[in-house]
């Protein structure tokens, strides 16, 4: 990070004609309400303000950026995971302030190399993502190389020695603010008539004893196909994926688990429908021997009530369907959309019904501001307890 900041200072000192400067500003105001049965105090309410601010300087093929981040709890009537007892619902937005990103980047035709603290989102973020829903986000201290040697071919390889988590500067215990380790994230994708075919290898080293006793260290190898096609007025998109996971580095568990996904969505220039089936397999029912995704953008998958982090010992099967509608503009509002998603959750091992969930979302943009209302209702059967969550959110980006 020091090298990035020093290079940014050099760029700022060069003549204005030789460089481009761009401010970075991202502001979020949110009220999150959670109600969870079975707790001594079943409700939590958090009103938070998150601000990111920085600058990016570009000169020729080189660029550097530095961005700070702060999260303030205006109303702190909630359990944020780090202080106090877990007697009320968790809202994972602890107060924090610090360096969010500091990266140096080189871009040339067919090659991009990025070094420093950076966001990394691979494919649909199922295995590696930014945790954008959380105010503190997730970044990586890493070196990443993206190489496109020919049309339709791309290699994407990252070595990350540190993961900066959503728990911020006060992260502790199992919820560390930073998790060191030798992480290798590699993708090789090739365009085909059926879509982009990607082979991937994710070697995740959670090398901090407090984080589940190293039991989240894993090696995952798999393949993914994602494509889309227009058929008349309909835009059809599909994806399918399979992976195998096993223990890695100092993980004391000896396990094997499989992953499967089939998903399809249809956009009829207004109405939208979709559905899919995802399986995160289990081994023999021991804790943390099921398929785990500790670096994923977890909120995007398996329901917004977030009842499956980490994944249950007996694995998870998620059958889901969605329906919605989108408008380019309604009055002064643009990108207006509504969506409903239904989930049925079961265990992979022994096939027990965990519960069902309904998720609802409405969003629209006015100028630089995006407003959204989100709701999740998890009805428990054989895992966890009934949980409801509500989000009212405003995002403003420069």
């Amino acid at each position: 990070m020091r090298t990035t900041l020093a290079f940014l200072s050099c760029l700022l000192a060069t003549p204005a004609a030789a460089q481009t400067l761009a401010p970075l500003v991202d502001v979020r105001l949110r009220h999150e309400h959670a109600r969870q049965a079975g707790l001594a105090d079943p409700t939590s309410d958090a009103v938070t303000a998150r601000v990111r601010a920085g600058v990016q300087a570009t000169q020729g093929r080189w660029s550097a950026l530095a961005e700070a981040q702060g999260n303030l709890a205006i109303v702190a009537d909630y359990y944020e995971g780090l202080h106090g007892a877990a007697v009320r619902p968790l809202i994972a937005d602890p107060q924090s302030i610090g360096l969010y990103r500091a990266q140096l980047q080189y871009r040339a035709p067919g090659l991009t190399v990025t070094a420093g603290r950076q966001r990394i989102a691979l494919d649909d973020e199922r295995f590696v993502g930014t945790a954008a829903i959380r105010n503190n986000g997730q970044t990586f201290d890493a070196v990443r190389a993206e190489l496109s040697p020919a049309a339709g071919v791309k290699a994407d390889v990252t070595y990350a020695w540190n993961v900066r988590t959503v728990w911020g500067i006060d992260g502790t215990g199992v919820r560390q603010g930073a998790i060191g380790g030798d992480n290798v994230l590699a993708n090789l994708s090739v365009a085909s008539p059926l879509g982009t075919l990607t082979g991937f290898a994710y070697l995740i080293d959670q090398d901090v004893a407090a984080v589940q006793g190293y039991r989240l260290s894993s090696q995952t190898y798999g393949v993914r196909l994602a494509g889309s096609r227009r058929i008349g007025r309909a835009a059809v998109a599909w994806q399918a994926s399979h992976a195998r996971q096993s223990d890695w580095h100092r993980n004391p568990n000896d396990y094997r688990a499989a992953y499967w996904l089939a998903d399809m969505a249809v956009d009829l220039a207004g109405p939208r429908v979709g559905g899919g089936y995802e399986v995160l397999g289990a081994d023999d029912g021991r804790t943390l021997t099921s398929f785990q995704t500790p670096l994923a953008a977890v909120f995007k998958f398996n329901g917004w009530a977030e009842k499956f982090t980490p994944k249950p010992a007996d694995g998870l099967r998620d059958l889901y369907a969605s329906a919605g509608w989108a408008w380019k503009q309604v009055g002064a509002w643009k990108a207006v959309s509504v969506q409903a998603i239904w989930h049925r959750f079961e265990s992979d091992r022994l096939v027990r019904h965990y519960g069902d969930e309904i998720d609802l979302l409405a969003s629209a943009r006015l100028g630089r501001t995006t407003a959204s209302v989100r709701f999740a209702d998890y009805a428990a059967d054989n895992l966890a307890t009934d949980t409801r969550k509500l989000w009212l959110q405003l995002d403003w980006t420069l």
Side-chain angles (χ1 to χ4, degrees), residues 34 102 104 142 165 190 203 216 240 280 363:
L104 175 64
T165 75
V190 179
L203 312 181
L216 288 176
L280 296 104
S363 65

Side-chain angles (χ1 to χ4, degrees), residues 11-317:
L11 285 182
L12 291 172
T14 60
Q19 67 181 4
T20 301
L21 295 178
L24 304 171
V25 183
D26 181 344
V27 180
R28 172 185 289 171
L29 178 65
R30 179 164 68 206
H31 175 210
E32 182 170 345
H33 169 81
R35 184 173 185 85
Q36 182 175 332
L39 296 177
D41 186 347
T43 62
S44 280
D45 282 281
V47 178
T48 55
R50 195 278 309 280
V51 178
R52 292 175 183 158
V55 63
Q56 176 172 309
T58 303
Q59 185 174 18
R61 293 181 174 180
W62 291 90
S63 67
L65 69 81
E67 186 177 21
Q69 173 181 263
N71 182 52
L72 172 67
I74 301 170
V75 175
D77 190 19
Y78 67 104
Y79 174 57
E80 32 75 289
L82 303 178
H83 304 96
V87 296
R88 63 194 317 177
L90 172 67
I91 296 178
D93 284 329
Q95 294 196 107
S96 183
I97 189 169
L99 184 65
Y100 178 59
R101 290 190 293 165
Q103 70 181 48
L104 175 64
Q105 187 175 85
Y106 174 80
R107 277 184 181 272
L111 175 66
T112 300
V113 178
T114 309
R117 186 163 300 169
Q118 57 190 284
R119 288 192 294 242
I120 300 177
L122 299 180
D123 297 321
D124 60 352
E125 301 189 86
R126 191 34 170 137
F127 299 102
V128 181
T130 62
I133 190 66
R134 300 275 51 113
N135 284 346
N136 291 318
Q138 176 172 273
T139 55
F140 299 81
D141 295 339
V143 176
R144 180 184 185 186
E146 300 168 78
L147 176 65
S148 300
V153 178
K154 181 180 179 181
D156 189 332
V157 181
T158 297
Y159 169 70
W161 59 90
N162 203 15
V163 180
R164 310 294 299 193
T165 75
V166 302
W167 302 109
I169 58 173
D170 292 330
T172 186
V174 71
R175 295 172 174 140
Q176 294 285 312
I179 304 173
D182 297 314
N183 301 279
V184 178
L185 317 170
N187 277 6
L188 177 61
S189 59
V190 179
S192 78
L194 292 177
T196 299
L197 183 65
T198 303
F200 55 84
Y202 301 131
L203 312 181
I204 297 175
D205 182 18
Q206 302 269 277
D207 198 20
V208 177
V211 182
Q212 304 288 4
Y214 310 114
R215 291 179 299 170
L216 288 176
S217 295
S218 64
Q219 51 183 326
T220 301
Y221 305 94
V223 64
R224 178 176 185 265
L225 175 68
S228 62
R229 183 168 298 172
R230 182 163 291 280
I231 303 174
R233 294 179 58 251
V236 181
W238 59 87
Q239 57 177 323
S241 184
H242 171 61
R244 303 288 297 183
Q245 184 178 96
S246 59
D247 49 286
W248 181 247
H249 275 207
R250 291 203 275 180
N251 191 331
N253 285 329
D254 181 6
Y255 79 99
R256 303 288 185 275
Y259 172 85
W260 298 90
L261 170 71
D263 177 281
M264 180 172 286
V266 179
D267 185 342
L268 296 168
R272 298 173 175 177
V273 295
Y277 188 56
E278 183 181 46
V279 178
L280 296 104
D283 191 331
D284 58 8
R286 289 173 293 143
T287 301
L288 296 176
T289 61
S290 55
F291 200 103
Q292 304 293 325
T293 59
L295 302 187
V298 175
F299 184 85
K300 293 177 65 175
F301 306 92
N302 310 135
W304 300 335
E306 298 182 290
K307 309 308 293 185
F308 301 99
T309 304
K311 298 302 177 287
D314 287 331
L316 174 65
R317 298 180 182 180

Side-chain angles (χ1 to χ4, degrees), residues 348-364:
D348 180 56
R349 180 176 175 270
L350 305 179
V351 193
R352 301 186 317 278
H353 180 225
Y354 286 149
D356 299 318
E357 182 169 329
I358 295 291
D359 297 326
L360 305 174
L361 172 65
S363 65

